[in-house]
Amino acid sequence: MLKQIVNGRILTPQGWLVGGSVVIDGNKIKVVSNIDLHVVDAEIIDAKGCYVVPGGIDMHAHGGGGHDFMEGTEEAFRAAVNAHLKHGTTSIYPTLSSSTVPMIETACKTCEKLMEEKDSPVLGLHIEGPYLNRKQAVAQNPKWIKAPVAAEYEPLLDNYSCIKRWDEAPELPGSVEFVTACRNHDVVSALSCTHATYEAVAAANKAGMSHAAHFYNGMPVVYKEREFKVPGTVESVYALKDMTVEMIADGKHLPPVMLRVVYRVKGVEKTALISDALAYAASDGDVTAEPDVILDDGVCMVADHSSLAGSIATMDTLISTCVKKANIPMADACRMASETPARIMGVLDRKGTIEDGKDADIMMFDDDINLTYVMQMGKEITNNL
């Protein structure tokens, strides 16, 4: 059935289109026009003046709706994915924290099953760890953290095509070999939970590491060794112009001024918005925190307040925070939530922008940057218009 979105401000790659329309045929965008085409027999969706923007792509989310992707079950995956879907995440890369090989294999099997379903919002699996710096991964299980082990990761990369991204700390022994293996399998490798200096970051980048997870979080800025300053991981990533970054735009993991700094320095095309959400996100307050985690002031913390443990953000929160608190233009905030992650993850040919022939993944926001509508692959998920 044809659908036609009218009376909205449509974000296209060329900029805002006011007064045009988007025609959807099944699960695809058929045409984006600068006029109302009056398509015969099309269901009219009145945007009522709202912003009409591409659906959000969350390339780093650990869970939601009371479930963590580490559970590995189909029930957990579906609950978390659907919880985020209602908040504008029309495509998602379920994320595992540091896990054992059997846990990863279980999650891979579940992920591949969901990916095979028609119009699935699940685009692949993201593994964060276990190859991390234990001192920087305070919210992850320390008993599973280690340096890269080829006998572990090579069979996983060989056997499971659902693995699309894998994060590790580039200062660990065997890092270059791990990054090379990821590159050879077309898996995005990213630095995470690291204390790497410029030499380690540059070596990993040369081998193929192209991205930095939750930028500024879980990594050092410039510091002193005796009388000399040492470039931290943050400065190293800034210095490597081709490296992309992601930021947890909840206003807590990074204060709004720092969100704006990253946006200005790295730019829209190299900065993605992520939730890094835990199971408590999009759960309507029905989930009780684990003993070693507390929920306070809109964020998850380890119980002794020594570190943040993750976020409870959703896609609509990320965009609203950028626009209303960090003074980032709406168009740029939406591009960082959709177009940039699509480019980083290699799916820009079908996701990330509102263009003819692309998947019909769409969000709408009112003037106060409240989410009012979500469409995923042509299906209406929410309609508060």
Side-chain angles (χ1 to χ4, degrees):
M1 180 179 179
L2 293 173
K3 298 178 182 178
Q4 184 176 6
I5 299 173
V6 299
N7 192 27
R9 289 167 282 180
I10 306 163
L11 181 61
T12 73
Q14 293 74 40
W16 292 108
L17 185 62
V18 180
S21 59
V22 181
V23 179
I24 294 126
D25 186 0
N27 60 7
K28 296 289 185 180
I29 297 171
K30 184 178 180 65
V31 64
V32 181
S33 174
N34 61 355
I35 60 173
D36 185 348
L37 296 175
H38 300 290
V39 178
V40 176
D41 295 329
E43 175 190 345
I44 300 299
I45 301 171
D46 187 354
K48 299 180 180 178
C50 286
Y51 296 104
V52 180
V53 302
I57 301 173
D58 198 342
M59 52 190 286
H60 191 154
H62 293 274
H67 288 273
D68 192 299
F69 292 117
M70 285 180 69
E71 295 173 44
T73 65
E74 192 174 326
E75 176 190 6
F77 268 64
R78 291 191 190 281
V81 169
N82 290 335
H84 282 285
L85 188 55
K86 295 174 183 177
H87 290 268
T89 297
T90 55
S91 298
I92 192 168
Y93 292 85
T95 303
L96 303 182
S97 298
S98 294
S99 308
T100 64
V101 170
M103 292 169 68
I104 295 172
E105 289 178 326
T106 297
C108 283
K109 291 171 185 176
T110 299
C111 188
E112 291 192 342
K113 180 178 180 180
L114 268 62
M115 289 174 68
E116 290 171 357
E117 297 177 353
K118 187 177 186 297
D119 297 339
S120 175
V122 178
L123 302 187
L125 192 69
H126 166 209
I127 306 173
E128 185 181 23
Y131 313 134
L132 304 174
N133 187 313
R134 186 173 279 107
K135 293 182 179 179
Q136 293 288 353
V138 294
Q140 300 206 25
N141 194 325
K143 69 181 181 181
W144 292 327
I145 294 176
K146 64 183 82 171
V149 179
E152 290 181 349
Y153 64 72
E154 286 179 350
L156 288 168
L157 291 171
D158 287 338
N159 295 332
Y160 297 103
S161 61
C162 67
I163 300 174
K164 302 298 183 184
R165 172 180 164 183
W166 204 330
D167 301 0
E168 61 101 42
E171 70 271 26
L172 299 177
S175 175
V176 168
E177 291 80 4
F178 171 78
V179 172
T180 301
C182 286
R183 183 193 64 203
N184 291 340
H185 286 81
D186 294 323
V187 172
V188 173
S189 62
L191 61 82
S192 179
C193 300
T194 174
H195 204 277
T197 57
Y198 179 77
E199 289 75 19
V201 177
N205 176 244
K206 184 177 180 180
M209 180 175 280
S210 58
H211 187 65
H214 42 58
F215 198 44
Y216 275 94
N217 296 113
M219 62 188 71
V221 296
V222 61
Y223 58 95
K224 286 184 69 176
E225 286 186 354
R226 294 175 60 94
E227 64 270 39
F228 297 108
K229 291 183 175 64
V230 178
T233 309
V234 168
E235 291 78 21
S236 302
V237 171
Y238 276 139
L240 296 166
K241 292 185 178 181
D242 65 320
M243 285 199 73
T244 55
V245 301
E246 63 189 31
M247 51 188 188
I248 309 171
D250 60 358
K252 306 294 182 180
H253 282 77
L254 286 183
V257 67
M258 292 177 69
L259 295 174
R260 188 162 180 81
V261 167
V262 177
Y263 156 74
R264 282 186 166 182
V265 176
K266 274 296 182 180
V268 175
E269 295 187 350
K270 287 187 170 61
T271 306
L273 305 185
I274 59 151
S275 69
D276 198 10
L278 301 184
Y280 318 110
S283 61
D284 299 322
D286 296 333
V287 180
T288 301
E290 298 175 13
D292 57 344
V293 175
I294 59 173
L295 305 181
D296 188 30
D297 196 23
V299 74
C300 299
M301 308 175 188
V302 293
D304 63 1
H305 289 267
S306 63
S307 175
L308 297 177
S311 92
I312 55 174
T314 50
M315 186 59 63
D316 49 347
T317 303
L318 306 179
I319 292 172
S320 176
T321 300
C322 283
V323 175
K324 300 178 75 172
K325 295 183 178 180
N327 297 316
I328 294 172
M330 180 67 174
D332 289 349
C334 291
R335 288 180 64 196
M336 292 190 293
S338 54
E339 178 187 327
T340 303
R343 181 181 296 108
I344 292 170
M345 298 306 297
V347 295
L348 189 58
D349 60 323
R350 56 192 173 98
K351 302 281 186 182
T353 59
I354 297 179
E355 293 183 87
D356 299 0
K358 288 206 171 180
D359 291 345
D361 295 337
I362 291 171
M363 296 185 286
M364 296 187 198
F365 289 86
D366 64 20
D367 285 337
D368 291 326
I369 322 300
N370 296 310
L371 184 69
T372 61
Y373 182 92
V374 180
M375 173 185 285
Q376 190 264 333
M377 296 297 286
K379 295 176 292 187
E380 186 176 277
I381 305 300
T382 64
N383 184 357
N384 301 318
L385 293 172

